[in-house]
Amino acid sequence: MKIFFSILLTAILTNNYILSKFLGICPFLGVSKKLNTAVGMSAAVIFVMLLSSAVTYPLNTFLDKHDLGYLQTIVFILVIAALVQLVEIVLKKYIPALYASLGIYLPLITTNCAVLGVTILNIDNGYSFSHAMINSLGAGLGFMVAMVMFAGVRSRLESCQVPKFLQGLPITLVAASLTSLSFLGFTGLVENMFA
Amino acid sequence: MAKQKSLKEEFTKGIVKENPVLRLVLGTCPTLATTTSMESAIGMGISAAIVLVCSNIVISALRKVIPQKVRIPCYIVVIASFVTIVQLLVKAFVPSLDQQLGVYLPLIVVNCIILGRAEAFAGKNGIVASAVDGLGMGIGFTCALIVISAIRELLGAGSLLGHGILPFPAMTIFILAPGGFFVFGLVMACANKLAEAGGGKKAELGGCKACPMASSCEKLAKGEDCEKEKEAVK
């Protein structure tokens, strides 16, 4: 039980996928302008991360068994792309309410490196299936925490006077740097908590 | 396509005018993640450039065969194949680089520069032009990575390419995550300033044309975000 919490908290706080692993920066900068789009995008990411980890993990075992480990990258990205399409179609047909809130973000997630990243890291870290699922959940939640926090920061930024040469993306990146700095404060937290 | 642009122009635009990192704002994840040292930045730049050139050539050669509707999955398969090749080569010949780049090596697959160029250029232009475009973009990517990593390594580790230079203690924060965002932001501000002096436009995210997923993003754009961003830019 302890290890579950340790993995979960590590993925959310100390090794936040956006702020310390730099995975999924594009949506982080692109979709974080408003709180509700940030939440919608993150919810879709959590959903797809869990789903694709659940599918790619057994697939990788299969590949390894047949000595096809070198196909990992191709298989993973194709599975994720196909899965996202499938989910989109299924949602559209059967759960239109959910589709209305998550649907528009789904196609954007195919090329989100956080999703492919989490599936590959699950394998690289040698997690068991349950640990991999917990890690994916943590990664998704961490994504959401970072997105929501940053949406708040950005809304404050809108009303600020920014020097002309920093306007737009540069000041956003500097703000991201400060947000990420605050997450550095969690370093060592998880190790000590479960020591 | 008529030859309205010379090959030289195709080549140089990727390095300066349409630098993928600093002007088009593509491929931010590897830019931030692999610029902790110049060595890994150069490794990442070259690996991505190789994938970019090869996939541009193949995609442009196949552009008349690939049906319009399934082009993105086709592009992804081509790109993923080349990434796997590069991955295996790096693992075999430069294992230390493989250790440094870690998960970011397979993640070249989802580097938006590569898919973006496939969609914006290689799918519409001839083989030679695409190869040159890929080479220019690859070199532009590598140059941007080298600039950012040089600053970060010098300030954060006090060294360049592993050789200690700074006489005073280094500020480790620069090779940690916040330093990455910070230096990238400042380098981009400088690039904006230079571009302004040269009469160019500012770098903007949501330059939706540059993004490979622009077509699927249209729904999102129609409603809110991108439209508003465009207005804000004006």
Side-chain angles (χ1 to χ4, degrees), chain B residues 5 46 53 111 118 120 126 139 164 176 221:
Chain B
K5 268 188 183 170
I46 293 175
V53 173
N111 185 326
I139 292 176
L176 297 178

Side-chain angles (χ1 to χ4, degrees), chain A residues 17-189:
Chain A
Y17 270 64
I18 292 180
L19 294 171
S20 59
K21 286 199 177 138
F22 300 124
L23 295 173
I25 299 290
C26 297
F28 179 60
L29 296 175
V31 202
S32 66
K33 268 209 160 155
K34 275 193 308 195
L35 190 61
N36 54 355
T37 45
V39 172
M41 180 77 185
S42 319
V45 166
I46 295 178
F47 187 62
V48 172
M49 268 183 180
L50 281 173
L51 206 61
S52 47
S53 298
V55 174
T56 51
Y57 193 90
L59 217 57
N60 187 65
T61 329
F62 175 79
L63 286 180
D64 273 351
K65 212 158 113 198
H66 296 274
D67 260 342
L68 293 169
Y70 59 89
L71 283 178
Q72 195 196 48
T73 314
I74 303 183
V75 169
F76 276 25
I77 185 71
L78 283 181
V79 165
I80 293 171
L83 205 64
V84 171
Q85 285 292 314
L86 195 69
V87 169
E88 199 188 350
I89 295 169
V90 170
L91 282 187
K92 205 173 188 173
K93 178 96 170 78
Y94 294 105
I95 323 175
L98 194 60
Y99 178 77
S101 55
L102 293 188
I104 47 173
Y105 304 106
L106 284 175
L108 296 175
I109 291 174
T110 320
T111 51
N112 181 339
C113 42
V115 176
L116 183 62
V118 81
T119 55
I120 294 178
L121 282 174
N122 279 340
I123 310 293
D124 283 358
N125 292 349
Y127 286 144
S128 70
F129 184 71
S130 49
H131 291 178
M133 292 309 289
I134 291 288
N135 185 44
S136 316
L137 180 66
L141 288 175
F143 189 89
M144 182 176 249
V145 169
M147 287 283 277
V148 168
M149 272 180 62
F150 197 54
V153 172
R154 279 188 88 167
S155 66
R156 294 292 291 264
L157 211 58
E158 299 255 296
S159 56
C160 288
Q161 286 259 319
V162 179
K164 193 162 176 264
F165 74 106
L166 276 176
Q167 268 167 19
L169 216 44
I171 193 68
T172 313
L173 284 166
V174 173
S177 152
L178 296 177
T179 316
S180 147
L181 195 62
S182 67
F183 271 69
L184 269 192
F186 293 118
T187 313
L189 172 92

